[in-house]
Amino acid sequence: MTEVRVRDVMTRGIVYLPAATTLDEAARAMRDADIGDVVVTDGPNLFGMVTDRDIVVRAVAEGRDARQTTIGSVTARDIVMIEQNSTAAEAAALMRDRAVRRILVCDNDRQLVGIVSLGDLAVRLDPSPALSEISEAGPRP
């Protein structure tokens, strides 16, 4: 049996936002794209990645104003990347070792091509249908 590769489980649609974007704008972009993370840029450079959880834990829980606070001020700057031809098992090990739930995926030229999440791996690698059913069900009302 062929090993599952990161390219087979990653999400290809990457949303990029400048570090100066406010939290409320980023939250709307995540909602509209039905995603939980965005890649943050500083001009042409990669600045980091911010997740919906980062916004809640690093800003909302601290009482920061979502209309004034920028995503650059709450972005995780520790960029973890994996090559798209790596195995899903290698991605899972990297997530465990670096204690992250999402990894940026690059091609051989180190260009971003996607994002792989712990959920992506769990749905693809777990033989039971429970995780995929939960993932496909979407948010609860």
Side-chain angles (χ1 to χ4, degrees), residues 28 36-37 58 97 99 108 114 124 141:
R28 281 193 298 277
D37 51 65
R58 296 181 182 161
D97 294 346
N108 293 342
R124 183 62 185 260

Side-chain angles (χ1 to χ4, degrees), residues 83-123:
E83 206 275 327
Q84 66 181 347
N85 292 317
S86 300
T87 66
E90 290 171 324
L94 182 58
M95 287 180 184
R96 181 191 64 234
D97 294 346
R98 299 291 295 271
V100 295
R101 297 176 185 184
R102 293 174 175 91
I103 303 174
L104 298 175
V105 181
C106 63
D107 62 14
N108 293 342
D109 297 324
R110 307 255 324 143
Q111 297 297 310
L112 289 185
V113 294
I115 297 174
V116 65
S117 72
L118 187 58
D120 295 331
L121 295 176
V123 167

Side-chain angles (χ1 to χ4, degrees), residues 19 45 47 55 61 66 94 101:
N45 301 316
F47 187 82
I55 292 171
L94 182 58
R101 297 176 185 184

Side-chain angles (χ1 to χ4, degrees), residues 18-140:
T21 304
T22 60
L23 297 180
D24 62 332
E25 292 171 316
R28 281 193 298 277
M30 288 181 197
R31 178 200 61 204
D32 294 347
D34 193 27
I35 56 174
D37 51 65
V38 295
V39 173
V40 181
T41 59
D42 181 19
N45 301 316
L46 182 63
F47 187 82
M49 183 170 34
V50 69
T51 67
D52 47 6
R53 186 175 190 280
D54 293 330
I55 292 171
V56 170
V57 172
R58 296 181 182 161
V60 174
E62 300 293 324
R64 295 170 80 178
D65 184 347
R67 293 172 306 214
Q68 301 294 320
T69 306
T70 65
I71 58 174
S73 68
V74 299
T75 295
R77 305 265 326 253
D78 184 23
I79 299 168
V80 181
M81 295 180 85
I82 193 164
E83 206 275 327
Q84 66 181 347
N85 292 317
S86 300
T87 66
E90 290 171 324
L94 182 58
M95 287 180 184
R96 181 191 64 234
D97 294 346
R98 299 291 295 271
V100 295
R101 297 176 185 184
R102 293 174 175 91
I103 303 174
L104 298 175
V105 181
C106 63
D107 62 14
N108 293 342
D109 297 324
R110 307 255 324 143
Q111 297 297 310
L112 289 185
V113 294
I115 297 174
V116 65
S117 72
L118 187 58
D120 295 331
L121 295 176
V123 167
R124 183 62 185 260
L125 300 178
D126 186 338
S128 73
L131 289 174
S132 61
E133 289 172 6
I134 291 168
S135 177
E136 291 170 4
R140 290 184 234 169

